Amino acid sequence: MSKGYSDVLIGTQFGDEGKARVIDVIGKNYDIIARFNGGPNAGHTIETKKGRIVLHQIPSGIFYPKTILYIGSGCVLNIEKLSKEISDIENFGVKLGKRLRISSQASIIQPHHILVDGITGKTIGTTKNGIGPAYADKALRIDGDRLLNIRMGDLLENEEYFLKAITTNLEHTLKTCQITDFDTTEFIKNFRKSFALVKQYIEKDTLFLNKQAENGKKILFEGAQSFMLDITRGIVPFVTSSNTMAGSAYVGGDLSPKFHRKTIGIAKAIMSRVGNGPFVSEYGGLRSEKYCMEDEGHRNTKEKESKLNVAAMLFSNDLFDLGRALRLLGNEYGASTGRPRRVGMLDFIQLKYAVLANGIDELWINKCDLLTDFTKTKCKKIPVVVEYQLGNGKIDYVPSSDETCRKIKPVIEYKTCFSGDISKIKSFAKLPKPLTTLLLDLERSVGCKLLGVGVGAKRDQFVLREK
Ligand code: IMP
């Protein structure tokens, strides 16, 4: 039997590019879909005839009944949320059975991680899922006689001992942070119940994926959180706490890199970002960033914005209003948190940077149907960022610091717009000419073949180009 191979799919922007829906389309070509980073901070949405389902910790291949869903050691897991996600998926009519495998080396998000993230994650605007503190404890390993990094396999081997260790860590945080309203007994009760469901999925064989690939299986790695949020290569500190880059699939995904075949990048035609941090092409700049972050905790921006006059905002000279209108029309509100996403122009420089840094071989671009909204703007054109001006010079990369990023002046080019419903179009040649011109321009600028074009939100609303 010939050996299998693995492909890696990542988001090329700041997240929420529609990775899950691409996986839902190409998933049939693979035997295994595997996660390698992050945890419940991810929100991967799939629209189906029965309604929408949002996956947080489980890989997006759930609708392929024979596909194995693997959660790698590089992930951090919330057991209670995972147990609920499993039940929700089964209630949706999807059988997981033996298909779900969870690495015994994946670390557990403990309750004190969530409490600490709630206190320390405000400036970054984290999802408050305890991601940063969980990865920090993984790196710290041990503090005196307190064991900090507790993994799925540890609990499986000795549930009582490691649950005690989790409780000790919790009590330590409750004491140091002077938290008095946490019900530890209730937590232990719920945790035991959740783990009783989850433990059947833990994979003890640390060479599981390697053996599958040796036996001819095809694996697709599903990145979470996207390249621009990488803990090392993103704009620190406004990043997540894991490595999101394509190469890290072969660390947190538990497979040797010798099986790598190609890297797939996902982008969307109108960019977005949640949380704080620089965003060169943002409509309304700093004002938009502050406005979106004000919603922290209230989560009512969507309701407020749905009452505004969208047509007037689209036609406004004020880019902040244009951004608000595009957010509403594109339903850019967090799948995990409901937070408003900051919205910006498609940025060719940022995308080229992602393509080069990750070695992207093929690109998919979602939400191209939303570009028709620009016909209702004052200039009736689609703005895209084509150059970065920094001081008196030009740069062709995203700088590593917050301060320098905020000094960049984007050079904007206005592309011809198009109108009409494109969601039923099935071939690239039949797309409106201004759209194909824009996409071919993008392909040339970023130096990577464009393979898929999202023309609507439904599962089959994609135009695929032959290779
Ligand atoms: P954390 O990953 O919860 O620590 O959050 C760190 C930053 O990454 C914040 O700006 C979050 O909004 C952002 N982030 C985390 N997960 C996602 C995601 O799945 N999509 C988009 N942004 C995310």
Side-chain angles (χ1 to χ4, degrees):
M1 186 186 289
S2 62
K3 278 198 179 136
Y5 57 77
S6 53
D7 294 341
V8 181
L9 179 146
I10 59 159
T12 54
Q13 296 161 329
F14 289 97
D16 310 308
E17 299 92 349
K19 297 179 278 292
R21 64 185 301 251
V22 175
I23 292 176
D24 190 42
V25 173
I26 63 174
K28 59 178 175 298
N29 305 325
Y30 299 90
D31 304 297
I32 300 172
I33 315 275
R35 286 270 306 261
F36 60 89
N37 76 302
N41 47 349
H44 294 169
T45 309
I46 308 174
E47 303 282 348
T48 77
K49 289 206 175 88
K50 272 173 79 178
R52 100 190 325 216
I53 184 153
V54 184
L55 302 169
H56 300 283
Q57 303 183 86
I58 294 181
S60 298
I62 59 166
F63 291 112
Y64 293 102
K66 292 203 174 120
T67 305
I68 293 175
L69 308 162
Y70 184 80
I71 302 179
S73 62
C75 296
V76 285
L77 297 174
N78 180 320
I79 288 180
E80 285 163 287
K81 287 192 175 169
L82 188 57
S83 142
K84 182 169 181 316
E85 195 169 330
I86 291 168
S87 305
D88 288 349
I89 291 174
E90 301 239 335
N91 290 338
F92 204 79
V94 175
K95 288 266 156 298
L96 288 174
K98 283 250 169 265
R99 293 201 292 143
L100 179 61
R101 310 306 313 146
I102 304 168
S103 163
S104 57
Q105 293 172 314
S107 296
I108 291 165
I109 299 175
Q110 303 170 49
H112 76 283
H113 295 143
I114 300 169
L115 292 172
V116 171
D117 198 17
I119 300 166
T120 59
K122 286 201 176 77
T123 314
I124 292 171
T126 68
T127 62
K128 299 197 174 77
N129 273 294
I131 306 294
Y135 279 115
D137 269 359
K138 178 174 174 175
L140 270 176
R141 296 152 291 166
I142 200 156
D143 177 13
D145 53 7
R146 279 191 310 116
L147 200 51
L148 300 178
N149 180 24
I150 297 168
R151 302 168 307 160
M152 297 299 281
D154 298 335
L155 266 187
L156 191 64
E157 276 176 24
N158 193 339
E159 187 173 330
E160 288 315 308
Y161 179 81
F162 287 101
L163 184 52
K164 178 89 188 55
I166 291 174
T167 313
T168 306
N169 290 335
L170 172 62
E171 281 161 356
H172 178 83
T173 298
L174 293 178
K175 195 164 160 217
T176 44
C177 298
Q178 297 176 350
I179 299 168
T180 50
D181 56 356
F182 191 95
D183 190 339
T184 308
T185 318
E186 185 68 10
F187 156 71
I188 294 173
K189 197 175 104 200
N190 290 338
F191 189 90
R192 279 190 203 284
K193 205 167 140 208
S194 304
F195 189 63
L197 175 77
V198 165
K199 65 180 174 191
Q200 61 185 301
Y201 302 107
I202 298 174
E203 177 54 64
K204 288 188 200 154
D205 185 349
T206 50
L207 281 173
F208 175 77
L209 273 199
N210 254 67
K211 287 176 186 166
Q212 297 287 330
E214 288 289 352
N215 283 329
K217 296 284 190 277
K218 302 178 188 94
I219 298 158
L220 177 66
F221 283 111
E222 170 181 16
Q225 283 90 40
S226 302
F227 168 55
M228 291 301 293
L229 295 174
D230 184 273
I231 187 172
T232 313
R233 300 292 297 276
I235 308 159
V236 173
F238 301 103
V239 289
T240 190
S241 306
S242 65
N243 284 110
T244 60
M245 293 187 66
S248 44
Y250 296 99
V251 182
D254 313 330
L255 182 70
S256 144
K258 75 175 180 180
F259 293 102
H260 184 69
R261 189 181 65 145
K262 69 173 177 187
T263 307
I264 304 164
I266 313 300
K268 68 180 167 185
I270 300 175
M271 287 176 70
S272 73
R273 143 160 232 180
V274 269
N276 275 322
F279 182 2
V280 173
S281 68
E282 182 168 13
Y283 289 110
L286 209 52
R287 189 173 157 213
S288 162
E289 180 176 355
K290 284 205 175 123
Y291 166 86
C292 290
M293 294 309 291
E294 266 168 20
D295 186 44
E296 272 296 283
H298 303 297
R299 312 279 149 93
N300 60 358
T301 305
K302 185 172 180 177
E303 199 193 319
K304 254 180 10 209
E305 291 189 335
S306 62
K307 295 184 183 124
L308 299 173
N309 183 340
V310 183
M313 288 196 300
L314 267 182
F315 205 67
S316 166
N317 283 325
D318 187 345
L319 292 181
F320 170 73
D321 274 339
L322 179 56
R324 288 207 290 183
L326 292 171
R327 172 165 48 250
L328 197 58
L329 292 165
N331 193 24
E332 294 289 1
Y333 302 90
S336 296
T337 60
R339 291 189 291 179
R341 296 181 186 144
R342 300 156 57 196
V343 176
M345 291 164 257
L346 182 59
D347 181 341
F348 284 11
I349 301 298
Q350 181 278 317
L351 204 52
K352 183 174 181 183
Y353 177 60
V355 165
L356 292 175
N358 291 284
I360 306 277
D361 299 299
E362 68 183 54
L363 205 57
W364 290 58
I365 184 156
N366 274 314
K367 290 199 161 184
C368 288
D369 48 312
L370 291 176
L371 294 173
T372 56
D373 290 331
F374 287 99
T375 54
K376 296 169 208 137
T377 61
K378 202 160 262 172
C379 76
K380 296 189 171 36
K381 299 242 179 204
I382 303 167
V384 297
V385 175
V386 290
E387 283 187 318
Y388 279 4
Q389 179 86 39
L390 185 62
N392 293 327
K394 301 262 164 66
I395 54 168
D396 64 353
Y397 57 91
V398 180
S400 62
S401 84
D402 177 28
E403 206 186 329
T404 312
C405 275
R406 291 189 189 273
K407 287 186 188 143
I408 292 171
K409 299 234 172 335
V411 179
I412 300 166
E413 217 172 83
Y414 290 86
K415 308 278 186 189
T416 310
C417 199
F418 58 97
S419 55
D421 177 11
I422 61 166
S423 67
K424 311 233 161 34
I425 298 179
K426 291 280 169 242
S427 91
F428 194 76
K430 297 226 166 90
L431 288 171
K433 186 84 187 9
L435 177 57
T436 51
T437 307
L438 189 155
L439 295 175
L440 293 174
D441 248 18
L442 172 112
E443 199 177 64
R444 256 190 313 275
S445 301
V446 306
C448 177
K449 177 91 180 165
L450 188 72
L451 225 85
V453 182
V455 291
K458 301 222 173 78
R459 277 183 95 186
D460 58 347
Q461 291 176 336
F462 270 108
V463 168
L464 302 184
R465 275 170 89 199
E466 65 294 347
K467 292 190 191 166

